[in-house]
Amino acid sequence: VFVYTITFFFAPPYKWIFRSQPLTFVAALFLLLAPGQIEMLGNLTNLHWYLLLLLYVLALKDIHTPYTFSEIVISFLCISTSGTSIILLPIFVLRIILKWKEKKTAKYGEYLIISFIVLFLLIHIIVATNSSLFFYPFTIYLKIFLRHFFFSFVFPLFLGDYLTLQLHSIKIIYSVLTIILISFVSLHLRRDWDRSYILIITLSVCSLWLPIMITIARPLSMLTILSFSNYDMHYWFNSRYSFYIPAIASMFWMFVIGRENTHRAIKYSIITLFLCSQLLFNHHRSVVSQRSKEHVG
């Protein structure tokens, strides 16, 4: 399912995201390197995380190409596995608005997907027992949103897990770096703006609602979600909770550097930085050494 999700990027309706085959390949590689998979990969109880990612990718389909019957069926399967698909509702509404401006593109696929999301939202509301939107003060949910923005979305691809979590106590540094990055992205996309860009920007924001939804559904998970298990990089980045936002972040940053007006040398310098940080500075990954004879039996 995970590999199937990644292959969508190579299909014509999704090529607008990264624009070139080499960048699409690198983006797919970053998804394969996303954290959390020690707990998830090959574990059917965590299949819904990959299906949520698949639904995210389907939401990025070129708005000029209608959804096929098979994609609608896949969307239904993704939505029916978890109530967290509600975080992607705004993007399918946005797709209808963008298509309405086009005036010629079919919208029935989006209407069906929205209907599925609303249907299963009602089901989850009916069967939910311990969930509460007001279990914690609003400031707690705001802190969760901001911390995951900084430490799961902005920095992991640039710095790797170790350096990212070292920043948590140095607010001035990560605040300044974030302002610089946001300014760069804004100016960069403004020079080559297309209305379809709003899709991936909106989806990136939507992804940051996931830890809040988890906290609402499971209030006892608040300390884990808020403090990243006391900023223990080995525990957190092996956890399933660390998968989704960094995966989406890798897609967003590859989307940004894939715009046409980015100089090739700059593109591949940034990609090299990303690869080095993921391969050299992700300390949650450990080498599995061969067991010696004295350890056997």
Side-chain angles (χ1 to χ4, degrees):
V1 171
F2 190 26
V3 174
Y4 174 71
T5 299
I6 293 171
T7 61
F8 270 83
F9 294 122
F10 296 92
Y14 299 88
K15 285 184 177 180
W16 71 271
I17 304 171
F18 306 118
R19 290 189 173 177
S20 73
Q21 289 285 73
L23 287 181
T24 301
F25 172 78
V26 174
L29 179 61
F30 285 135
L31 284 175
L32 292 174
L33 294 173
Q37 296 184 78
I38 281 182
E39 183 175 5
M40 294 167 50
L41 199 60
N43 184 345
L44 287 178
T45 60
N46 287 308
L47 180 60
H48 61 281
W49 292 96
Y50 295 118
L51 293 176
L52 184 63
L53 179 67
L54 175 53
L55 185 63
Y56 178 105
V57 176
L58 289 172
L60 290 176
K61 187 174 185 178
D62 185 354
I63 61 172
H64 300 96
T65 307
Y67 284 116
T68 63
F69 176 77
S70 62
E71 288 173 330
I72 294 173
V73 171
I74 292 170
S75 298
F76 175 82
L77 295 175
C78 294
I79 293 166
S80 64
T81 61
S82 174
T84 51
S85 58
I86 184 63
I87 66 174
L88 300 184
L89 178 62
I91 193 62
F92 290 103
V93 174
L94 179 59
R95 287 182 62 89
I96 290 176
I97 295 173
L98 292 176
K99 287 189 171 188
W100 174 76
K101 292 183 178 181
E102 297 287 334
K103 297 183 179 179
K104 293 183 179 180
T105 310
K107 311 175 187 66
Y108 64 88
E110 282 79 6
Y111 285 122
L112 283 172
I113 293 172
I114 289 173
S115 300
F116 298 153
I117 293 175
V118 172
L119 171 63
F120 281 95
L121 171 64
L122 294 175
I123 293 173
H124 284 290
I125 290 175
I126 292 171
V127 302
T129 55
N130 298 321
S131 302
S132 175
L133 180 60
F134 304 104
F135 193 91
Y136 295 110
F138 173 77
T139 53
I140 294 295
Y141 300 113
L142 179 61
K143 284 181 180 179
I144 290 173
F145 183 91
L146 292 176
R147 288 191 183 181
H148 282 267
F149 172 67
F150 288 121
F151 304 126
S152 293
F153 191 90
V154 176
F155 296 116
L157 206 61
F158 292 92
L159 302 178
D161 59 26
Y162 179 76
L163 294 177
T164 294
L165 293 188
Q166 297 309 303
L167 285 176
H168 80 270
S169 59
I170 317 174
K171 292 183 179 180
I172 185 64
I173 293 181
Y174 67 69
S175 298
V176 170
L177 289 175
T178 302
I179 292 172
I180 293 173
L181 284 172
I182 291 176
S183 300
F184 166 77
V185 170
S186 300
L187 292 173
H188 181 61
L189 295 182
R190 186 177 179 182
R191 290 194 294 266
D192 183 36
W193 180 256
D194 183 274
R195 66 175 57 174
S196 60
Y197 292 1
I198 196 67
L199 291 176
I200 195 165
I201 294 172
T202 302
L203 276 172
S204 297
V205 175
C206 289
S207 70
L208 292 165
W209 286 96
L210 181 60
I212 296 175
M213 293 295 296
I214 294 172
T215 306
I216 291 172
R218 298 179 179 178
L220 294 180
S221 298
M222 185 272 291
L223 290 177
T224 299
I225 297 295
L226 180 61
S227 65
F228 306 100
S229 302
N230 294 318
Y231 300 94
D232 182 326
M233 64 182 176
H234 186 81
Y235 178 89
W236 175 255
F237 284 98
N238 281 327
S239 167
R240 62 190 184 277
Y241 292 141
S242 70
F243 168 74
Y244 188 70
I245 298 179
I248 302 306
S250 67
M251 293 167 56
F252 174 80
W253 290 113
M254 290 301 296
F255 158 80
V256 170
I257 69 172
R259 297 309 93 191
E260 288 180 350
N261 61 351
T262 304
H263 193 277
R264 179 173 294 184
I266 297 176
K267 281 185 183 180
Y268 290 102
S269 295
I270 296 175
I271 290 172
T272 301
L273 170 65
F274 287 171
L275 285 171
C276 288
S277 69
Q278 295 306 297
L279 297 175
L280 302 178
F281 301 113
N282 273 342
H283 289 202
H284 70 276
R285 298 192 179 96
S286 58
V287 177
V288 179
S289 57
Q290 183 178 2
R291 295 177 66 87
S292 59
K293 291 183 178 179
E294 56 266 24
H295 291 134
V296 177

